Amino acid sequence: MESFSHGYMSDKSKYLARLRRVEGQARGIHRMVEEDTYCIDILTQISAMTSALENVALALLNDHLKHCVVDAAASGGGDAEEKLQEASAAIQRLVKS
Amino acid sequence: MESFSHGYMSDKSKYLARLRRVEGQARGIHRMVEEDTYCIDILTQISAMTSALENVALALLNDHLKHCVVDAAASGGGDAEEKLQEASAAIQRLVKS
Amino acid sequence: MESFSHGYMSDKSKYLARLRRVEGQARGIHRMVEEDTYCIDILTQISAMTSALENVALALLNDHLKHCVVDAAASGGGDAEEKLQEASAAIQRLVKS
Amino acid sequence: MESFSHGYMSDKSKYLARLRRVEGQARGIHRMVEEDTYCIDILTQISAMTSALENVALALLNDHLKHCVVDAAASGGGDAEEKLQEASAAIQRLVKS
């Protein structure tokens, strides 16, 4: 089934719950600016939200390496190399962002 | 007027627009997971969203230093010291998150 | 031969050259403080050095995934899982540091 | 005296000691690659070194804000604005690196 083709699917509901919390944080920060909350308190919330987002990304990446990359390697062929280049580029964007 | 007490107020509508875009990005990432988008593409969006959030934080921090901290320093007294400790702690959270 | 067991070996002389440059940057920053160089210029050098170090780490990680992890996956067995947990923990430390 | 013109001077010997440790870490990482140490262990050392460098940068930045920026603000004139722009750019490089 198509929807089971990606590694993160097993935890899909957990990811959706975490991302809903991130959306809530985004709305909260928007409201804080609207209500003229003290700047430092807004920065604290932004750091918390950035950290939550990074954790989602790290979990997705781990699932991706575990499923897509390892599967490609196990089945041989040149696919693993390509998957790995993709993953390395994604890791670089995460580290540099 | 109370609502003009914080430095970022001058650009309030600009901040609100940027944060609305961040909310849109959060909803977009949620939808991507829901629709089983390829993992690497989700990671790219998360990096873009993290970067956008950091830019909002850096702009807020700059406004805060320019207004609150410099004003406190200009008016003398111990207030500047306290404001600076707060700002330094916020910078540390940003760098470390 | 033992010393060829790790993936990064192929580029060993390149890594050594990059790390020698990083050592030079560290000595340079030490000297800047000693000579009372303007603070902002020291910070610029520290950012450059941090970035150079991250690039070395990303290259090492890429080599590690390409060799150790993919090899473990291709040869089957539980080893790949363990290698992957290690790599994920290393990625997390890089993203969070 | 010229050498007392920068804010970080009060802690100069402490900064020099920290930077000497960073140099030691750089040499240690170089040696690890030379001796074919396991890749993940090298990455752990690189993360520790990156973190140590960031802490030096945050301490320097805090001293800089406390001395140069606040002094410029207290003495009035356009100097504070310029100092602040510089500091904000340095913060951005730290957050983005």
Side-chain angles (χ1 to χ4, degrees):
Chain A
M1 201 167 108
E2 176 56 25
S3 64
F4 280 87
S5 60
H6 302 314
Y8 58 80
M9 285 307 111
S10 53
D11 287 323
K12 189 168 163 175
S13 65
K14 229 168 69 185
Y15 282 115
L16 290 174
R18 288 169 81 170
L19 286 166
R20 220 175 328 260
R21 273 199 296 281
V22 168
E23 284 177 65
Q25 288 176 294
R27 276 194 304 275
I29 292 165
H30 186 275
R31 194 169 44 240
M32 286 173 101
V33 171
E34 211 160 42
E35 296 172 355
D36 306 327
T37 305
Y38 184 51
C39 186
I40 296 292
D41 297 328
I42 300 176
L43 290 175
T44 301
Q45 285 308 303
I46 292 181
S47 290
M49 186 179 165
T50 303
S51 195
L53 263 177
E54 279 175 354
N55 290 337
V56 171
L58 289 166
L60 278 170
L61 182 70
N62 186 29
D63 275 355
H64 179 70
L65 289 173
K66 193 146 62 185
H67 297 280
C68 301
V69 178
V70 167
D71 284 2
S75 68
D79 207 26
E81 171 75 11
E82 193 195 336
K83 291 279 178 211
L84 211 62
Q85 285 311 322
E86 262 184 6
S88 285
I91 293 168
Q92 179 167 342
R93 283 191 296 271
L94 280 178
V95 170
K96 295 285 184 183
S97 76
Chain B
M1 204 167 109
E2 176 56 23
S3 64
F4 280 88
S5 59
H6 302 315
Y8 59 82
M9 283 311 108
S10 52
D11 286 324
K12 190 168 164 175
S13 64
K14 229 168 71 184
Y15 282 117
L16 290 174
R18 289 169 80 169
L19 287 166
R20 219 175 331 258
R21 274 198 297 280
V22 167
E23 283 179 65
Q25 287 176 294
R27 275 193 305 273
I29 292 166
H30 186 275
R31 193 170 44 242
M32 287 173 100
V33 171
E34 212 160 42
E35 295 172 356
D36 306 328
T37 305
Y38 185 50
C39 185
I40 295 292
D41 296 329
I42 301 176
L43 290 175
T44 301
Q45 285 308 305
I46 292 182
S47 291
M49 186 179 164
T50 303
S51 195
L53 263 177
E54 279 175 355
N55 289 337
V56 171
L58 288 167
L60 278 170
L61 182 69
N62 187 29
D63 275 354
H64 178 70
L65 289 173
K66 193 144 63 184
H67 297 280
C68 300
V69 178
V70 167
D71 285 1
S75 67
D79 206 27
E81 171 75 12
E82 194 195 335
K83 291 281 179 209
L84 211 62
Q85 284 311 321
E86 263 182 6
S88 286
I91 293 167
Q92 178 166 343
R93 283 191 297 271
L94 281 177
V95 170
K96 296 285 183 181
S97 76
Chain C
M1 204 167 108
E2 175 56 22
S3 64
F4 281 87
S5 60
H6 303 313
Y8 58 83
M9 284 310 109
S10 52
D11 286 326
K12 190 167 162 174
S13 64
K14 230 168 70 184
Y15 282 117
L16 290 174
R18 288 169 80 169
L19 287 167
R20 220 175 328 260
R21 273 199 296 280
V22 167
E23 283 178 66
Q25 288 176 296
R27 275 194 304 274
I29 292 166
H30 186 276
R31 195 170 43 242
M32 287 174 100
V33 170
E34 212 159 42
E35 297 173 354
D36 306 327
T37 305
Y38 185 50
C39 187
I40 295 293
D41 296 329
I42 301 176
L43 291 175
T44 301
Q45 285 308 305
I46 293 181
S47 291
M49 185 178 167
T50 303
S51 195
L53 264 178
E54 279 175 354
N55 289 338
V56 171
L58 289 165
L60 278 171
L61 183 69
N62 188 28
D63 275 354
H64 178 70
L65 289 172
K66 194 144 62 185
H67 298 279
C68 301
V69 178
V70 167
D71 285 1
S75 67
D79 205 27
E81 171 76 12
E82 195 195 334
K83 291 279 179 210
L84 211 61
Q85 284 311 322
E86 263 183 6
S88 286
I91 294 167
Q92 179 166 343
R93 282 191 296 271
L94 281 177
V95 170
K96 295 287 185 181
S97 76
Chain D
M1 202 167 110
E2 175 57 24
S3 63
F4 281 88
S5 60
H6 301 315
Y8 58 82
M9 284 308 110
S10 52
D11 286 324
K12 190 168 163 175
S13 65
K14 231 168 69 186
Y15 282 116
L16 290 174
R18 289 169 81 168
L19 287 167
R20 220 173 331 256
R21 273 199 297 280
V22 167
E23 283 178 66
Q25 287 175 296
R27 276 194 304 275
I29 292 165
H30 186 275
R31 194 168 46 239
M32 286 173 100
V33 171
E34 211 160 40
E35 297 173 353
D36 306 328
T37 305
Y38 185 51
C39 186
I40 296 292
D41 296 329
I42 301 175
L43 291 175
T44 302
Q45 285 309 304
I46 293 181
S47 291
M49 186 179 165
T50 304
S51 195
L53 263 177
E54 279 175 356
N55 289 337
V56 171
L58 288 166
L60 278 171
L61 182 69
N62 186 28
D63 275 355
H64 179 70
L65 289 172
K66 193 146 60 184
H67 297 279
C68 301
V69 179
V70 167
D71 285 1
S75 66
D79 205 27
E81 171 74 13
E82 193 195 336
K83 291 279 178 209
L84 211 62
Q85 284 312 320
E86 263 184 6
S88 286
I91 294 167
Q92 179 166 343
R93 283 191 296 271
L94 281 177
V95 170
K96 296 285 184 183
S97 77

